[in-house]
Amino acid sequence: MSSTRRLLIAGNWKMNGLKKEARQLSSQLAKRMSKANKPAFDMVVCPPYPVMGLVGDLLKGSGVKMGSQDNHAQVSGAHTGDSSATLLKNIGCTYAIVGHSERRTDHNEKDADVKAKAEAAIAARMISIVCIGETLKQRNAGRTLSTNRKQLLGSLPTDANAKNTVIAYEPVWAIGTGEVATPAQAQEVHAAIRAELAGAIGPKEAAKMRILYGGSMKPGNAKELIALPDVDGGLIGGASLNAADFWAIAEAAHQK
Ligand code: PEP
């Protein structure tokens, strides 16, 4: 069981969140989180860059943290359109998603890029959320575990530990599709990830590291996924855009 691991509920807003929506969502979550009676979970939302200032101000003091959806591997310099971990930390981000499958696809990010970004986030004193996951083609070819193993070992930051790194297992075929991994599929991969982590960073640290599930997590399926022994919370896209849905998923974590 996950008694030593504090659950994490993370919202990835992707390229959504006009000022009005961002304001409403942040205020509602801040209100619920500060009212919650000793929540048994951490919560973070990762808005797009343009509303980070707004969201950060509204979340201040609430217990809901802010994270980024990506960061550059360099600290500063001539990289038009990018943001460094240092800049993101400076504006209030404490978590950094890296290696999301949409970035791996849209921006051709490789494991080595993801690793460098995660290391930059950690150097800026953020917690990196390293995403891995197989495509449907890889699953159907029987390459689920080997794909995740390769991505994990290639993307894991040097000096990763349970305090500075979170792994998010996100089967690509389940992201934004309404398809969700069965509990058996999710547990199989999460357990395999933890076993790989034991080899990479040692069994003690692996036992403490949080592994999130992501891929069409909703209020209706969150409880059975989060209840799994090696699932330590969720990385949620679509359902994180609705405060009531996101909170209902968090309540599943509260019940674990
Ligand atoms: C995600 O973008 O990380 C994600 C899991 O999206 P969704 O919940 O919409 O499938």
Side-chain angles (χ1 to χ4, degrees):
M1 259 317 256
S2 66
S3 53
T4 59
R5 298 190 292 270
R6 188 162 165 86
L7 302 179
L8 174 63
I9 301 298
N12 174 15
W13 293 6
K14 311 194 189 195
M15 203 165 66
N16 300 291
L18 295 172
K19 280 196 291 184
K20 190 176 166 199
E21 298 154 357
R23 200 175 284 123
Q24 281 175 353
L25 199 42
S26 308
S27 328
Q28 287 173 17
L29 290 174
K31 210 191 275 174
R32 287 175 198 248
M33 192 72 174
S34 52
K35 270 192 193 161
N37 187 16
K38 292 194 184 150
F41 53 85
D42 293 331
M43 178 175 276
V44 57
V45 294
C46 304
Y49 297 129
V51 290
M52 276 185 172
L54 173 76
V55 171
D57 284 348
L58 288 165
L59 295 181
K60 219 165 264 170
S62 72
V64 184
K65 305 291 185 198
M66 183 167 70
S68 55
Q69 300 175 16
D70 175 53
N71 59 265
H72 198 278
Q74 301 295 318
V75 172
S76 62
H79 301 287
T80 304
D82 282 317
S83 258
S84 70
T86 310
L87 290 171
L88 292 160
K89 179 70 197 306
N90 187 242
I91 198 176
C93 291
T94 51
Y95 287 81
I97 297 172
V98 291
H100 192 284
S101 62
E102 288 155 14
R103 292 217 49 102
R104 289 179 186 260
T105 303
D106 293 356
H107 300 272
N108 199 27
E109 289 185 6
K110 305 293 182 209
D111 293 337
D113 303 315
V114 177
K115 178 179 166 142
K117 288 178 177 212
E119 287 172 355
I122 291 169
R125 302 198 175 283
M126 292 199 286
I127 298 170
S128 68
I129 302 178
V130 178
C131 302
I132 58 172
E134 81 286 358
T135 62
L136 190 57
K137 194 172 167 199
Q138 288 163 332
R139 175 166 281 273
N140 288 340
R143 288 170 28 223
T144 297
L145 297 185
S146 60
T147 300
N148 281 290
R149 175 178 194 276
K150 183 172 172 291
Q151 285 185 19
L152 177 70
L153 299 181
S155 309
L156 197 66
T158 306
D159 299 331
N161 61 43
K163 283 206 172 89
N164 65 25
T165 301
V166 173
I167 306 299
Y169 166 55
E170 298 207 303
V172 179
W173 49 270
I175 297 181
T177 59
E179 293 275 329
V180 63
T182 64
Q185 287 172 328
Q187 175 55 28
E188 182 193 23
V189 182
H190 279 242
I193 290 170
R194 200 172 303 285
E196 289 300 340
L197 285 171
I201 59 172
K204 260 193 176 166
E205 216 52 42
K208 287 189 280 181
M209 189 170 280
R210 294 178 290 185
I211 306 175
L212 311 183
Y213 169 80
S216 296
M217 191 180 264
K218 304 262 184 294
N221 59 32
K223 198 172 168 190
E224 62 177 356
L225 288 163
I226 292 175
L228 295 167
D230 284 294
V231 175
D232 307 311
L235 177 54
I236 298 116
S240 73
L241 297 172
N242 178 298
D245 285 352
F246 193 52
W247 192 256
I249 292 172
E251 281 184 331
H254 199 63
Q255 288 165 25
K256 183 164 179 171

